[in-house]
Amino acid sequence: MIYFDHAATTRVLPEAAQAAMKTMTEDYGNPSSLYQLGVQAAKRMGEHREQVARALGCQGEEVYFTSGGTEGDNWAVALAVHLGRHKGRHIITTAIEHAAVLQPCKELERQGYEVTYLHPDASGRVRVEDLEAALRPDTVLVSMMLVNNETGALQPVAQAAQLLRRKQSAALLHTDAVQGFLKIPFTPKGLGVDLLTISGHKIGAMKGSGALYLRKGLRAVPLVRGGGQERGLRSGTEATPQIAALAAAASLGRERMEEHTAALTDLKAYALETFQRGVPGLAVVSPGDAPHICAISLPGYPSQVVVRWLSDRGFCVSSGSACHRGKASHVYAAMHLSKGVRDGVLRISFGPENTRQEVDQLAQALLEATRDLVPARG
C-alpha cells in the first residue's frame, strides 16, 4: 500500500513504540503508588510532560494529558464557557472546525448559547475582519483551528489573539492545533492563545494520546472527578504507555521538524505540479499552507468511488476527514465550491516516508481513473 493519508493518522514511530513497550513491561507502576515502582513511574510522567512541553514551547505545568484531540477540544470548549458563565453566552467559531469543536458548540446552542460560525473564503481561510464584526461584549469563547485538516489552509489565530487584546475582549481563545503541531512553527504564547489541543496519533505516537495546553493562570475546573490525577483536573490512572509514546514522538518531531518540513514542502509542490500536468481536468481545491496537506478534485467523478478505486490498486487517500465516514464534507460545502468540484474532492496528505516515485504512481493512477470510471451526470 502507498499511504497518502497522514492527516488521518500516522504509523507509530519505532522509538515511540519502544517507549510504550518499556513502560508496559518495565516501568509499569501506577504513578500514584508510594513504593519505588510507583515513584519511578511518577518521575517518568514528569519527564514526559516536560518533553511534550518543550516540543510545544510552553511550561510543563501548562500541559495536561488527554486521550486525544477530540477530548482536548471538548474540554477546551466546556472550560471556556464555564469560566465565562457570568460574562455572556455567545461563542464564535468557524464553519470549518473539526466535529470535536462543532458538536459541543451545537450542544451549547441547545442549552441557550448563541454561536456564530465564521465562513471561509474560496481559499479555505476565515477572515479576521469577519471575526471583528462578529465579536460582542458577551462573547466568552473564540475557537479557531490552526490548520484545517481537509484543506491544509492556515487560519489567522495569532491575528485573532491580537484583535481580542485590542478590543479588550474577555473571550478566551482556543485553537485546535492537531494538524499544525510539529508541521508549522508556533508556540502557544506566540499565537496568543489560552487553550490549545494536540493529538498523538498525528505525529507518530499511539492512538488514544494527546494533550491540552492551559495557559498558566487559568482557573480550570476538573474534566473528570475522582482520584485527583493530572493535578486534580482529569482523574483516572494515567495511560502511561501512550504518554511515553507521545513524549518520544514529540521529542523526535521537534528535532526533525525543519528537515521534515522542507522535504514535505518540496514533495507537495512536486505533487501538485505533477497532478496538474498529468491529469487533464484535475482541479486544485487548496494547495494548503501547511506542508503536508492539499486538496484536489476530479470534477464529475464522485470522490468515494475514486477512493475505493484507488484503494483496490494499493493507494490510501481520503475524500476528507476520516471522521466523516463517507458523509459530505462540511468544510468543502462552506467553501461554496461548485457541485462537481465538491463531489470530486480528494485530500492528499504526505509523510516523511513518501517519495516522488510514489507521487508519479498516484498521478498515473488518477489519470487511469478518469479513463476507467464513468463520470456522474449533472
Side-chain angles (χ1 to χ4, degrees):
M1 299 294 290
I2 297 178
Y3 191 72
F4 281 113
D5 202 19
H6 291 83
T9 196
T10 58
R11 179 184 301 171
V12 175
L13 294 167
E15 295 86 348
Q18 290 165 9
M21 179 60 73
K22 184 175 185 295
T23 303
M24 288 187 285
T25 59
E26 297 179 27
D27 303 328
Y28 56 85
N30 186 322
S32 297
S33 298
L34 298 180
Y35 45 75
Q36 187 58 37
L37 195 62
V39 172
Q40 186 65 24
K43 180 183 177 182
R44 294 279 187 233
M45 279 278 296
E47 294 169 354
H48 298 331
R49 196 181 310 277
E50 290 298 327
Q51 285 178 279
V52 174
R54 281 194 295 273
L56 263 176
C58 67
Q59 299 178 40
E61 62 188 296
E62 296 175 306
V63 172
Y64 292 81
F65 292 120
T66 68
S67 65
T70 294
E71 181 186 310
D73 284 346
N74 274 245
W75 189 2
V77 171
L79 176 57
V81 297
H82 174 81
L83 294 177
R85 64 194 183 281
H86 300 307
K87 300 173 183 177
R89 296 174 70 83
H90 179 235
I91 298 167
I92 301 174
T93 188
T94 81
I96 57 173
E97 295 296 309
H98 192 279
V101 167
L102 293 178
Q103 290 303 317
C105 286
K106 291 184 185 301
E107 175 58 31
L108 287 166
E109 283 186 288
R110 288 189 282 271
Q111 297 176 22
Y113 280 80
E114 187 177 348
V115 182
T116 299
Y117 299 91
L118 306 178
H119 283 256
D121 59 22
S123 71
R125 304 181 189 93
V126 298
R127 293 162 23 101
V128 176
E129 294 84 352
D130 293 340
L131 172 59
E132 184 171 9
L135 194 63
R136 302 183 341 200
D138 63 337
T139 305
V140 295
L141 167 66
V142 175
S143 184
M144 178 185 294
M145 67 193 335
L146 186 58
V147 172
N148 184 263
N149 53 308
E150 298 190 43
T151 65
L154 183 66
Q155 305 304 320
V157 175
Q159 296 92 321
Q162 294 166 7
L163 171 66
L164 294 179
R165 287 196 296 269
R166 189 170 73 249
K167 294 292 186 178
Q168 298 183 323
S169 173
L172 294 180
L173 179 59
H174 164 247
T175 188
D176 176 335
V178 165
Q179 293 294 347
F181 183 45
L182 301 178
K183 303 297 191 304
I184 61 172
F186 72 84
T187 65
K189 185 176 181 180
L191 290 174
V193 298
D194 301 293
L195 305 121
L196 182 147
T197 310
I198 63 170
S199 175
H201 77 105
K202 309 295 188 180
I203 63 165
M206 296 165 65
K207 297 173 181 65
S209 65
L212 178 66
Y213 160 85
L214 296 178
R215 177 179 54 78
K216 187 177 179 180
L218 280 183
R219 297 179 58 188
V221 294
L223 172 69
V224 181
R225 300 177 187 276
Q229 289 87 351
E230 285 303 284
R231 288 154 285 169
L233 296 186
R234 186 180 183 270
S235 292
T237 303
E238 298 90 341
T240 51
Q242 289 93 323
I243 290 169
L246 173 63
S251 293
L252 283 170
R254 178 172 175 254
E255 293 173 9
R256 301 169 178 174
M257 181 175 167
E258 186 174 351
E259 173 191 348
H260 284 176
T261 298
L264 291 172
T265 299
D266 177 75
L267 184 65
K268 186 175 71 169
Y270 175 79
L272 289 171
E273 179 186 355
T274 302
F275 296 155
Q276 290 177 287
R277 183 180 66 248
V279 187
L282 182 143
V284 175
V285 173
S286 172
D289 301 303
H292 64 304
I293 302 174
C294 64
I296 61 175
S297 177
L298 296 177
Y301 297 89
S303 58
Q304 292 180 46
V305 175
V306 177
V307 166
R308 287 193 294 268
W309 189 93
L310 289 171
S311 177
D312 291 342
R313 287 151 183 82
F315 295 91
C316 297
V317 303
S318 75
S319 56
S321 171
C323 299
H324 291 322
R325 295 180 180 273
K327 297 179 181 178
S329 164
H330 66 284
V331 174
Y332 304 136
M335 291 171 65
H336 300 294
L337 304 174
S338 67
K339 186 178 186 304
V341 171
R342 183 177 69 242
D343 291 348
V345 172
L346 301 170
R347 179 185 67 182
I348 314 296
S349 49
F350 305 91
E353 66 271 24
N354 287 133
T355 65
R356 288 193 172 198
Q357 182 182 9
E358 290 176 336
V359 168
D360 292 339
Q361 291 175 270
L362 177 58
Q364 181 62 33
L366 291 170
L367 176 61
E368 292 174 5
T370 63
R371 293 172 175 173
D372 290 0
L373 296 173
V374 178
R377 295 182 179 180

